[in-house]
Amino acid sequence: MTLPFTTWTLTTDAPEMHPMWQRELDLEREMMQSGADAVRDAVIKSERRDQMSRSPVIRGVMTDWLPELGAHIRDWVRQSSLTTGPKPIALPYIKEMDPHVAALITVKAIMDGIGKSNQKLVYLAMNIGRTCEHEQQIRMWEAKEPKLFYHYKDEMDRNRATDVHRRRVNVNQFAKLVKDQTIDLSWNGWGREVSFRVGVALIDALVTKTGWFERRPDPDHVFKRGASNTPQWVVAPTEEFRKWLGKAMDRFELNSPHFRPTVMPPKHWDGIRDGGYWTPYVQPPRLIRFKAHQETQKEYAADEYDAIDMPVVYDAIHLLQETAWKVNKRVLDVAVKAWALDEGIGKLPPIEDMPLPDKTPDMLEDLAAAREAKRAKREHKRSEHVDAQVLDWKKRASPIYRANAKRFTRMRATTVTIQTAQKYAEFNRFYFPHMLDFRGRMYPIPNYLQPQGNDLARGLLTFADSLPITEENGGAGWLAIQLASMWGHDKVPYGERIDWVEANEVMFRLIAEDPMVNMEWAKADKPWQALAACLEWVDFLNTGWGFMSSLPVMVDGTCNGIQHLSAILRDEVAGRYVNLVPSDRPQDIYKVVARGDGDAVEGLQRILEDIEAGGGPDKHKASYWLDLCKRDLPRSLTKRQVMVLPYGGSRDAFYKYTRAWLDEEDPVPSDGGSEAYRNRRNEMITFMVKHMWAVVSKVVERGLAVMTWLQKCAKVVADTNQPIYWQVPSGYVVRHFYGQNLDKRVELKLSGERVVVTVRETTAKLSAVDQLRGIAPNFIHSLDGAALMLCLKRCREAGIEDFSSVHDAYGTHASNMNALAQYLREAFVEVHEHDVLGEFRAACQRILVDVLVAEQGMDPLAASEKADEMLPAPLEKGSLDLNAVLESDYFFA
């Protein structure tokens, strides 16, 4: 579809005047309808499976009911215990339970079957009673034999067991332990009578307290001649509750659109509640996604932000969402063919599940016998011989189940991405409405096909407008750099990247001629972006100077979090390893940690070699890692750990990512391995983490000092129960507030899985633990958000209208890359020419002064002096020349 020529202006003309208005109207109506259909399909599926408690609307109702119902059950226990005369049969059993656990089990059981008109009281009560007994068994097991309990739990966690499977395993295992008297688990089974009585008592509590359900005779029960005329009772929602729930479901459907791109420039944000989409069919999220779960807190924060003047922020987000995009149809054509072949081309996930291991003949025979026994309503007992075969089969099947679960998620994302690209391929231009998180980072609102999506999504997108590549603007070099970088040659100097591209011209021409025959691109680091760059490069070669290029060319920061930490304190050590100073080759901090720099940093490689040569008790651990890495520790071993450090990466995070790396390079056997094997593996990981943490702590010593200092400031303010506000150099105001998520935490072992349930609405009381945990990463994120906004400000002033952003990766047309490279360096320097720590400290001091004046009646001057004493002293800065960034070719590369 070709967009007619128009002089329509976003800021002055009515949207109805835009030539694509009717199509936009239709698309936004489709977004609403597809979202509503998806919600409705999920509800229908939940109804069929009696799992309605998983619906967001139902979960909200459950959360509202749990506190009062738990308190009501507690009061019933207390009153029944004090009453003279016979006690309820259920009393001693419910008395032993946490009342909120009993409340959750009851509400979940009833709400799971809410889709039915009537739930038979007998079956419902028995289900609730048995689940309560199961819960008590699990708690006894965990209390008396925690080691054995967590052994089974960890095994099910590794295998990603479903709730049904967990319940079955735990019930059977508990019964076996009691029967075999393996451990001291003296348990007197409740029996049907007790289970029924417990269930009835809890149902009665729900009916009495909420008023939303009622007990009544089953209207469908047929009385038979000669049989008892006792009515069959059911539990049913009241008509009033049904109407309320129906309206709530309708509202949820309408407020759950499938966000997609727009075909006319997105609506400018007018405050933080209105912008992005044009019609009432799509209710966009707020412009800023606040870190507060309590709705009143969100509304309060929204009111505050509406009153703040942030022109640079609004201009930046409008530039991003006014960038016009189109589908790269040649890449889409290849993606559709590759997806249809289902051969994993370009790292696409398999469409079909991996097959499970074949069952043995004995297992198949036993399954047939079990089905026959069920039809005949007789007991079936599996032999020990078949039991062993089933256990072995499950061990072999578990990793396949896990792989298939991951595959399904990736497969769905791929399907939606390609389908969306096919739908929007008819348009010559479309746009992505954007939003902010509370730290000032910008995100496209649509999912899947979007500029911050995965490699496939980004390969399918190109700018709608093209600009010429000339000898003067340097676009040809940048286009070659993009191609080499997407291929994986992004750690070498620019000249070597360009030389590599020129040396492989024949290969690129063959790929462009037929990508489905010449598939070298599929092995690239980012295959779909590599294919897009290859096609663009060959087009340039065929056209020559003046070629109109639309491909986004991207450059990435070098561990951007550490770049900010190094700039804050002018850290000349870490700053050198993240390219804050000029160098003839790009520096690589991940490689420095792994192998050292031959000068100031002794890397892991040398440390392990010294331990091995020393012959001490850790020699075999050092040898294990050296042999695994073929005596050459790769940067990939340390990359994820170093990357997350500025964002709150702890030793636990180092352990997690080291284990993930090891699982990729030295996979665990399909059966999980023996306990001795797992213990040895854990020892190896712990050993590596210890030494990696020591090396990183030395390289980024000053950065860690900044993170600790920020936490100390946050601790002082957190003691006042006040949010922390600070303003970054772009003018954006960060509101740092983590509210306590609950008043009462109910921890269940339902089906062997620890479940933490919020039984009260999030309070306005601040969570000091979360405030401290989040302050360092959020402060760093706020700085990279500010740098992006200031860079966009320069781009707008220079007339650069098309821009792509992935947080710490910036992109535009090849012909504008020289200008962008300069602007992003200037923006970074502008951020850090401010005393960002001093300004943060001053913001904390102002908060403390307000509290001291209001709560202690102090004189403002005295309060200011007191607040200054309460906060940590400013940190000393190093000798790094910040302006050197302006001359560093590989600062963003």
Side-chain angles (χ1 to χ4, degrees), residues 737-810:
F737 179 89
Y738 287 77
Q740 289 187 357
N741 290 336
L742 46 90
D743 289 330
K744 168 73 176 177
R745 292 171 68 90
V746 177
E747 295 190 0
L748 307 180
K749 295 296 186 303
L750 294 173
S751 304
E753 176 71 1
R754 182 178 295 275
V755 180
V756 180
V757 180
T758 303
V759 298
R760 294 192 191 278
E761 187 181 3
T762 304
T763 69
K765 184 175 175 58
L766 178 143
S767 170
V769 172
D770 290 334
Q771 285 287 98
L772 269 61
R773 182 184 296 123
I775 188 61
N778 291 337
F779 185 76
I780 297 301
H781 280 311
S782 74
L783 296 182
D784 65 49
L788 172 57
M789 291 177 183
L790 292 173
C791 182
L792 287 171
K793 179 176 181 291
R794 286 168 166 78
C795 288
R796 182 179 285 278
E797 292 170 349
I800 296 178
E801 298 179 351
D802 296 319
F803 194 91
S804 181
S805 159
V806 191
H807 307 314
D808 59 351
Y810 300 173

Side-chain angles (χ1 to χ4, degrees), residues 439-703:
R439 302 162 303 189
R441 291 186 127 198
M442 292 181 271
Y443 300 83
I445 296 176
N447 294 320
Y448 302 113
L449 181 70
Q450 50 123 305
Q452 292 184 14
N454 59 21
D455 174 55
L456 174 63
R458 292 164 70 178
L460 286 169
L461 290 173
T462 191
F463 292 132
D465 297 315
S466 301
L467 293 177
I469 291 179
T470 67
E471 290 185 82
E472 294 76 23
N473 62 32
W478 282 109
L479 195 57
I481 290 168
Q482 171 75 5
L483 175 54
S485 297
M486 296 304 100
W487 217 275
H489 300 281
D490 57 339
K491 302 298 180 292
V492 298
Y494 290 140
E496 292 182 21
R497 297 185 214 182
I498 295 172
D499 290 344
W500 179 84
V501 169
E502 292 176 344
N504 286 278
E505 178 180 339
V506 173
M507 178 181 71
F508 296 138
R509 287 187 178 277
L510 290 173
I511 291 171
E513 183 177 327
D514 193 338
M516 293 304 294
V517 172
N518 305 292
M519 299 184 64
E520 292 87 351
W521 61 271
K523 301 181 181 67
D525 186 44
K526 297 176 181 176
W528 295 102
Q529 292 178 82
L531 174 61
C534 174
L535 298 175
E536 194 86 353
W537 176 252
V538 173
D539 284 349
F540 164 70
L541 293 179
N542 292 336
T543 304
W545 300 119
F547 167 69
M548 301 298 288
S549 175
S550 64
L551 185 78
V553 174
M554 305 291 293
V555 287
D556 292 340
T558 307
C559 197
N560 192 235
I562 294 180
Q563 285 182 323
H564 282 292
L565 285 173
S566 301
I568 287 171
L569 288 187
R570 308 296 194 267
D571 180 2
E572 63 277 9
V573 176
R576 177 157 60 97
Y577 300 130
V578 291
N579 294 300
L580 294 191
V581 296
S583 174
D584 57 353
R585 300 186 67 85
Q587 298 297 305
D588 186 350
I589 192 171
Y590 313 126
K591 189 174 182 180
V592 168
V593 171
R595 297 190 54 80
D597 67 347
D599 183 15
V601 176
E602 184 180 37
L604 283 168
Q605 176 90 19
R606 179 64 178 274
I607 291 172
L608 296 183
E609 290 171 348
D610 288 348
I611 292 173
E612 183 182 56
D618 287 338
K619 176 182 180 298
H620 68 289
K621 298 175 186 175
S623 297
Y624 167 82
W625 285 101
L626 289 169
D627 291 341
L628 179 65
C629 299
K630 299 178 181 179
R631 301 281 152 173
D632 185 9
L633 268 61
R635 67 190 298 273
S636 61
L637 172 61
T638 67
K639 180 176 180 178
R640 281 179 284 191
Q641 297 88 322
V642 176
M643 186 183 297
V644 301
L645 183 73
Y647 306 115
S650 60
R651 286 177 184 264
D652 289 340
F654 272 46
Y655 187 94
K656 170 186 173 182
Y657 290 118
T658 303
R659 184 171 69 177
W661 185 91
L662 185 59
D663 287 344
E664 293 170 2
E665 299 298 322
D666 185 19
V668 176
S670 59
D671 62 0
S674 65
E675 184 174 359
Y677 168 84
R678 292 196 297 271
N679 289 339
R680 178 177 178 273
R681 192 177 184 86
N682 290 338
E683 287 179 5
M684 296 300 170
I685 298 170
T686 302
F687 167 80
M688 172 55 73
V689 168
K690 171 186 173 183
H691 293 289
M692 190 185 302
W693 181 265
V695 174
V696 174
S697 297
K698 181 178 180 181
V699 175
V700 197
E701 181 179 4
R702 299 288 288 160

Side-chain angles (χ1 to χ4, degrees), residues 85-98:
K87 309 293 185 190
I89 293 175
L91 177 61
Y93 301 93
I94 297 177
K95 188 176 183 178
E96 293 298 317
M97 296 189 70
D98 183 319

Side-chain angles (χ1 to χ4, degrees), residues 808-829:
D808 59 351
Y810 300 173
T812 189
H813 287 93
S815 57
N816 281 332
M817 277 302 297
N818 279 336
L820 175 63
Q822 184 64 23
Y823 296 153
L824 67 87
R825 286 162 174 78
E826 291 175 359
F828 183 87
V829 171

